[in-house]
Amino acid sequence: MFQSNKELKRTAVFFAGVGAVLLILLMLKWLPISADWELALILFGLGILFYVKRVLWREEKDHKS
């Protein structure tokens, strides 16, 4: 019924990533953004997502030691 902190963090990161991707897609659809900026926004969002994932992975690794 209740999730552990590790599972809760993973779930939060997953839904934050999905939300970020949806937000970027909505921005690309509604705002007149050039193709150069579209790629930059997508790469920026993916970079943030992988950075957060790496930070959480390091925290888990440090707690196991």
Side-chain angles (χ1 to χ4, degrees):
M1 184 171 148
F2 294 105
Q3 292 182 334
S4 68
N5 271 347
K6 184 167 65 171
E7 291 174 356
L8 189 61
K9 282 182 184 179
R10 285 184 182 168
T11 304
V13 168
F14 172 75
F15 284 115
V18 170
V21 169
L22 290 175
L23 183 64
I24 288 172
L25 290 176
L26 288 174
M27 283 177 56
L28 296 178
K29 183 177 178 181
W30 290 334
L31 298 176
I33 299 175
S34 68
D36 295 334
W37 283 104
E38 288 179 6
L39 182 61
L41 282 173
I42 291 170
L43 292 176
F44 181 71
L46 287 174
I48 289 174
L49 185 62
F50 282 113
Y51 175 75
V52 170
K53 184 177 177 181
R54 189 180 79 180
V55 168
L56 289 176
W57 179 75
R58 281 188 179 174
E59 281 184 11
E60 289 177 12
K61 185 179 172 185
D62 289 341
H63 287 304
K64 287 182 183 178
S65 306

